[in-house]
Amino acid sequence: MLKNYFKIALRNLVKNKVYSFINIFGLATGMAVAMLIGLWIYDEVTFDKNHENYDRIAQVKQHQSFNGKKETYNSVPALMAEEIRLNYGSDFKYVLQSSWNSSHILTVGEKKFTKNGSFFEPQVTEMLSLKMLKGTRAGLKEPYSILLSESVAKAYFGDADPMDKIIKIDNKYDVKVTGVYEDLPYNSSLKDLSYLMPWELYLINNEWIKKMENPWGSNFTQTFAQIANNADMEKVSAKIKNVKLNKVSKDEAKYKPEVLLHPMSKWHLYGEFKEGINTGGRIEFVWLFGIIGVFVLLLACINFMNLSTARSEKRAKEVGIRKAIGSVRGQLISQFFSESLLVVAFAFVLSILLVLLILPFFNDLSDKKMSILWANPVFWLLGIVFSILTGVIAGSYPALYLSSFQPVKVLKGTFRVGRFASVPRKILVVVQFTVSVTLIIGTIVVFRQIQFAKNRPVGYSKDGLINIYMQTQDIHKHFDVVRDELKKSGAIVEMAESGSPLTQHWNTNGGFDWKGKDPNQAVDFPNNNVTHEYGKTIGWQFVAGRDFSRDYVSDSLAFVLNEASVKFIGYKSPAAAIDEIIKWEGKPYRVIGVVKNMVVESPYEPSRASLFHLTRDDGNVVIIKLNPEKSASESLSKIETVFQKYNPAQPFEYKFVDEEYARKFGDEERVGKLATFFAILAILISCLGLFGLASFVAEQRTKEIGVRKVLGASVTNLWALLSKDFVFLVIISLFIASPIAYYFMHQWTQKYTFRTDISWWIFALTGIGALTITLLTVSFQAIKAAVMNPVKSLRSE
């Protein structure tokens, strides 16, 4: 009997090809979207879970109050780990000091690459539960040792055994390979950790750390910890709150340092702090896409149910005949449910094929490396349970309602579907387009916000600027010679050195004083040490005073301020700041110029009060302005030749400033692109359903259309007749979706200081677009029915 049910169900699907395609493809698309979003959410919530002690690992952070605000930093003093071990050792299994993840030049023979890694205390391998492929987790006990990730070992040594091989670091010292560990997963906060070296080696190569007069006053390292098995994260965090406060001087205590543990389980999804409170982070995106996934899947289910119920009314006679020849109600219910489940089964299989097809594109779009969880029983359980539930819900109307018909009424022709039978379908169509329109409005607002921030003046000229990050000081030692050679070659306009790149603040300092400053006020300014040519290279814009000049020896004790620092300090105007004295660590610096604010950090937030001063002590970054009259490739080739001549130890690697700046919009742009992708699929699903319903309505009213044509109705009249109901439903959707979209997008934009307005034309444009799509979708069936020969439709009367 069951075999017979499915055979009849298959015949019905083949007989009604268009409806079958719409049902199966629409539902499969919704399922595919749900699977993609499910994979994305799974990837997000499993971040860092590759570590065995994931729930007990934390990073030691600190809150400090500067410039009237409470800020949260990852940077801590270099003595932090030692101090915590000394005073709170029983609460921790490991407390490890670490350098920042930074790039170094690793050289083996002729192979030299710039790779990212960190210096760690030896127990890091145990804390992070690294999977060792060569050597053991004890590989960092020797000072001059290094552990390589599998991919880095492969790049340098191929299939040869890398153990005990020698690698030169930054052309300064040699280290021995004492182990190889498996690459960390892509959904790991430490995925860029391509090598590990001992913390002891870091101290050997930075002797100034041990000679610091005030080691607790400088924050330039990181500390990671694993709490003891019997310890509670929050309680331990509260215990270590005053570790730094108890060590700093009275003057530095005004910064109110508070030490805390930030659990690894929160690093990725809850990474944002505001005024010392952990406010969230990417968890907002998880909720957003989770809601979108549910709604897109709902749209597909609505389509399925709408078309199933609409088509079922056409089968009233079939039910009557089946009952007349002996079918009982239970058999009819089984028949309708089997048809519904068969459609869902086909859709589920097709959805998996769609996911396989779309996943590479989706990975690129979302910056992920996801794959279908073939071996995960939860994946299959959810898919099967959802399929059964959808099939049962969609098949319940025809199964329970149609099976209750009295065969006498049906076969006599006296059976009529109730006047309100179409109301549920109309409500579901309104729900569909409300969701679709809300998604479209949201997508437009996201892209407008991104564009608004992109159009914000950055305070310098990004065109033709490149950053070259220096791991050695060779270029710094030959700076004037290199600059002269490059300018003579015509490859560059200007060249400068800087302590930080144009798109980041690498250094902030306190210890500033000025006339009228509150002695209890704690300040912390980003300050960039630059060479004389910095301003000419980047094209910064002066609003008062002058640039640094080699003609003035006194400029070695001079500041150039930005507008934000003028306002913060309290000068009446930029001009009023010129020649004022600002003391830094007791030394008097004269203000010689004020430049427009430069967007260095978030393009959505105000520029921080910043200071610029001259230095020739180091050259972390070389900034070059390419000659616009020559091709970039030609200029870069000449620059590479000169750099290799004076700095052969470092591979020539550069980054365009405009590309680095564009990366600041990465998260928002990904959200926008993903929202666009889902909005398009939501509209596609809605239109598929609309097309199916329009076809059904046109078929239902075939005879009415024939009569109207005979009585003189034009094609336009008939088209308007069949289209108006659908247009009306979409207009209702617009009125419902607009306030919903406005509320949520207004809330979203409030988190940005620099934000776009939500203009009325967004809603108008979306409305026009939705109505146009609706008319195009419906018109095919409406016009097809309107131009049909009335003789054919009336022949049976």
Side-chain angles (χ1 to χ4, degrees):
M1 185 62 75
L2 191 62
K3 180 181 178 183
N4 190 50
Y5 288 154
F6 281 105
K7 187 182 291 185
I8 294 169
L10 195 58
R11 286 174 182 169
N12 273 320
L13 291 179
V14 175
K15 181 181 177 182
N16 301 288
K17 294 181 179 65
V18 173
Y19 294 102
S20 299
F21 170 78
I22 292 172
N23 256 342
I24 294 171
F25 184 73
L27 188 56
T29 303
M31 286 180 165
V33 169
M35 282 187 201
L36 289 171
I37 291 178
L39 290 172
W40 186 88
I41 291 174
Y42 180 81
D43 187 85
E44 290 285 305
V45 299
T46 56
F47 238 78
D48 295 316
K49 284 192 175 180
N50 58 292
H51 303 291
E52 293 173 8
N53 306 301
Y54 160 82
D55 58 341
R56 313 200 71 75
I57 297 173
Q59 180 165 19
V60 179
K61 292 176 175 272
Q62 62 170 321
H63 304 311
Q64 291 194 102
S65 296
F66 292 116
N67 310 338
K69 292 183 180 181
K70 194 173 187 179
E71 303 284 354
T72 304
Y73 301 91
N74 294 340
S75 300
V76 295
L79 297 177
M80 182 64 74
E82 184 180 337
E83 186 68 19
I84 292 176
R85 284 195 296 262
L86 185 65
N87 293 291
Y88 305 95
S90 61
D91 293 308
F92 294 90
K93 187 171 183 179
Y94 303 115
V95 186
L96 310 176
Q97 205 66 33
S98 158
S99 70
W100 281 87
N101 190 357
S102 57
S103 57
H104 292 272
I105 305 164
L106 276 60
T107 305
V108 177
E110 296 299 315
K111 293 181 180 179
K112 55 182 176 181
F113 305 109
T114 302
K115 299 290 182 181
N116 289 325
S118 289
F119 294 85
F120 259 104
E121 291 188 89
Q123 295 86 352
V124 65
T125 52
E126 295 292 344
M127 187 176 77
L128 299 182
S129 54
L130 295 181
K131 184 177 179 181
M132 301 303 298
L133 304 177
K134 297 278 186 179
T136 69
R137 290 181 179 175
L140 291 180
K141 289 187 176 179
E142 300 176 30
Y144 287 89
S145 60
I146 187 170
L147 300 181
L148 302 178
S149 68
E150 183 181 7
S151 57
V152 171
K154 188 84 172 174
Y156 280 100
F157 303 105
D159 296 327
D161 187 357
M163 292 297 289
D164 297 327
K165 296 291 194 301
I166 301 300
I167 297 178
K168 185 172 284 294
I169 307 297
D170 293 336
N171 207 34
K172 294 177 182 176
Y173 51 89
D174 294 334
V175 293
K176 182 173 70 174
V177 179
T178 54
V180 176
Y181 57 90
E182 187 178 85
D183 286 7
L184 293 170
Y186 200 71
N187 65 335
S188 167
S189 302
L190 303 171
K191 66 175 182 282
D192 293 330
L193 209 61
S194 47
Y195 60 83
L196 293 168
M197 289 189 285
W199 174 249
E200 187 179 347
L201 181 58
Y202 184 78
L203 295 177
I204 291 171
N205 286 281
N206 293 275
E207 293 182 354
W208 56 270
I209 296 174
K210 293 181 179 179
K211 298 176 182 178
M212 291 173 66
E213 294 181 5
N214 181 19
W216 285 96
S218 185
N219 305 292
F220 60 93
T221 65
Q222 298 186 99
T223 301
F224 296 89
Q226 180 182 328
I227 62 172
N229 293 336
N230 60 345
D232 178 85
M233 189 74 73
E234 289 187 11
K235 290 180 180 178
V236 175
S237 183
K239 280 186 181 181
I240 66 172
K241 178 180 178 180
N242 294 322
V243 167
K244 184 178 177 182
L245 184 63
N246 295 333
K247 287 291 182 178
V248 297
S249 66
K250 184 178 179 181
D251 187 52
E252 288 169 339
K254 63 187 176 185
Y255 298 132
K256 301 175 184 176
E258 297 177 22
V259 177
L260 69 148
L261 295 177
H262 189 225
M264 180 180 269
S265 57
K266 291 187 175 182
W267 288 2
H268 184 67
L269 295 180
Y270 297 89
E272 293 181 4
F273 286 81
K274 189 172 184 179
E275 290 294 333
I277 298 171
N278 195 188
T279 55
R282 286 184 66 88
I283 189 64
E284 296 172 7
F285 296 153
V286 171
W287 280 109
L288 171 66
F289 288 121
I291 291 168
I292 289 175
V294 169
F295 276 113
V296 172
L297 190 56
L298 177 64
L299 298 186
C301 292
I302 287 172
N303 267 3
F304 184 35
M305 288 183 274
N306 260 354
L307 291 178
S308 294
T309 54
R311 291 301 301 170
S312 65
E313 291 168 11
K314 298 282 290 181
R315 301 177 66 181
K317 287 183 180 178
E318 177 191 336
V319 172
I321 293 170
R322 283 178 178 276
K323 279 197 165 187
I325 61 175
S327 287
V328 295
R329 191 181 182 195
Q331 291 173 322
L332 292 170
I333 290 173
S334 299
Q335 175 63 46
F336 282 117
F337 274 135
S338 64
E339 289 184 21
S340 182
L341 289 169
L342 186 62
V343 170
V344 175
F346 283 144
F348 181 63
V349 173
L350 180 58
S351 68
I352 293 176
L353 295 175
L354 287 174
V355 169
L356 286 171
L357 184 67
I358 297 171
L359 198 53
F361 163 76
F362 189 73
N363 276 331
D364 288 340
L365 197 64
S366 58
D367 189 29
K368 297 281 187 184
K369 291 185 178 178
M370 301 177 294
S371 58
I372 293 181
L373 307 172
W374 299 109
N376 192 326
V378 176
F379 169 79
W380 294 107
L381 182 64
L382 287 174
I384 293 168
V385 169
F386 169 77
S387 299
I388 293 171
L389 283 176
T390 305
V392 169
I393 293 169
S396 59
Y397 175 84
L400 302 177
Y401 178 56
L402 292 185
S403 63
S404 67
F405 291 167
Q406 295 180 12
V408 175
K409 286 186 177 181
V410 174
L411 297 177
K412 277 186 176 181
T414 57
F415 168 77
R416 293 288 181 272
V417 176
R419 58 184 295 194
F420 298 110
S422 64
V423 171
R425 287 197 294 275
K426 290 180 179 179
I427 291 172
L428 292 176
V429 169
V430 169
V431 172
Q432 275 191 316
F433 272 87
T434 298
V435 173
S436 300
V437 168
T438 302
L439 275 175
I440 293 170
I441 293 171
T443 300
I444 293 172
V445 173
V446 168
F447 277 112
R448 269 179 56 81
Q449 174 62 25
I450 294 169
Q451 201 57 46
F452 180 81
K454 282 185 174 180
N455 292 336
R456 177 184 172 189
V458 296
Y460 61 93
S461 174
K462 299 193 299 287
D463 296 338
L465 279 181
I466 60 171
N467 284 328
I468 302 174
Y469 299 88
M470 305 308 299
Q471 273 75 45
T472 69
Q473 291 296 303
D474 291 345
I475 293 296
H476 173 70
K477 293 173 184 175
H478 303 94
F479 177 79
D480 291 332
V481 176
V482 172
R483 175 172 169 261
D484 289 342
E485 277 196 35
L486 288 175
K487 290 190 76 171
K488 287 177 182 177
S489 72
I492 72 169
V493 173
E494 192 52 271
M495 168 177 158
E497 284 184 301
S498 169
S500 302
L502 273 164
T503 52
Q504 296 176 59
H505 285 310
W506 278 2
N507 187 46
T508 64
N509 283 98
F512 295 97
D513 198 9
W514 56 83
K515 184 179 178 182
K517 177 182 176 291
D518 181 352
N520 295 318
Q521 183 184 22
V523 297
D524 183 63
F525 290 153
N527 59 93
N528 197 0
N529 46 333
V530 301
T531 54
H532 293 85
E533 303 79 17
Y534 183 80
K536 293 176 183 176
T537 303
I538 70 169
W540 61 10
Q541 301 157 27
F542 278 84
V543 292
R546 63 173 178 83
D547 200 348
F548 295 113
S549 172
R550 293 179 184 271
D551 296 331
Y552 297 93
V553 178
S554 59
D555 280 3
S556 60
L557 288 174
F559 278 145
V560 169
L561 312 183
N562 67 350
E563 292 172 301
S565 59
V566 169
K567 183 178 179 180
F568 180 84
I569 291 171
Y571 297 129
K572 292 181 179 179
S573 67
I578 304 304
D579 289 331
E580 289 290 331
I581 299 296
I582 297 176
K583 289 186 178 181
W584 183 21
E585 302 293 350
K587 287 185 179 180
Y589 285 73
R590 185 177 299 278
V591 177
I592 62 169
V594 178
V595 295
K596 286 187 176 181
N597 290 331
M598 295 195 298
V599 181
V600 178
E601 295 176 307
S602 171
Y604 303 103
E605 299 299 324
S607 298
R608 292 168 68 184
S610 303
L611 310 171
F612 299 87
H613 58 95
L614 288 175
T615 184
R616 291 307 298 270
D617 292 337
D618 55 34
N620 294 330
V621 184
V622 172
I623 303 174
I624 292 176
K625 178 77 170 180
L626 299 178
N627 189 343
E629 296 179 2
K630 291 195 173 184
S631 70
S633 58
E634 180 185 350
S635 296
L636 289 169
S637 177
K638 290 181 179 179
I639 295 169
E640 181 177 11
T641 301
V642 173
F643 266 62
Q644 288 298 306
K645 177 180 175 183
Y646 292 98
N647 189 22
Q650 180 172 337
F652 180 69
E653 297 170 334
Y654 58 88
K655 294 181 180 179
F656 280 96
V657 171
D658 56 354
E659 291 178 356
E660 290 195 291
Y661 183 78
R663 290 192 191 98
K664 294 180 179 291
F665 303 92
D667 283 346
E668 283 77 9
E669 285 188 328
R670 268 191 289 277
V671 170
K673 288 175 182 176
L674 289 170
T676 303
F677 177 67
F678 296 135
I680 290 170
L681 289 178
I683 286 290
L684 172 65
I685 292 169
S686 299
C687 288
L688 276 173
L690 210 57
F691 181 86
L693 282 178
S695 176
F696 169 73
V697 169
E699 185 180 335
Q700 232 183 5
R701 302 176 72 174
T702 300
K703 292 182 176 62
E704 176 192 344
I705 293 166
V707 172
R708 287 181 180 274
K709 286 198 76 174
V710 169
L711 294 177
S714 65
V715 172
T716 304
N717 296 144
L718 295 171
W719 170 76
L721 175 72
L722 294 171
S723 301
K724 67 179 182 180
D725 285 347
F726 293 105
V727 170
F728 179 67
L729 294 177
V730 174
I731 290 173
I732 293 174
S733 302
L734 292 172
F735 278 106
I736 297 172
S738 295
I740 294 173
Y742 178 83
Y743 173 78
F744 284 108
M745 297 317 297
H746 177 73
Q747 293 293 107
W748 179 73
T749 56
Q750 290 307 299
K751 70 178 185 177
Y752 300 112
T753 305
F754 286 89
R755 55 180 177 267
T756 184
D757 56 331
I758 304 177
S759 304
W760 64 269
W761 64 261
I762 297 174
F763 302 93
L765 181 66
T766 304
I768 293 169
L771 288 170
T772 302
I773 291 170
T774 301
L775 287 172
L776 289 173
T777 304
V778 173
S779 292
F780 176 80
Q781 292 294 352
I783 294 171
K784 179 182 175 183
V787 299
M788 186 183 294
N789 189 340
V791 175
K792 290 183 178 180
S793 58
L794 298 174
R795 183 175 293 164
S796 62
E797 293 295 325

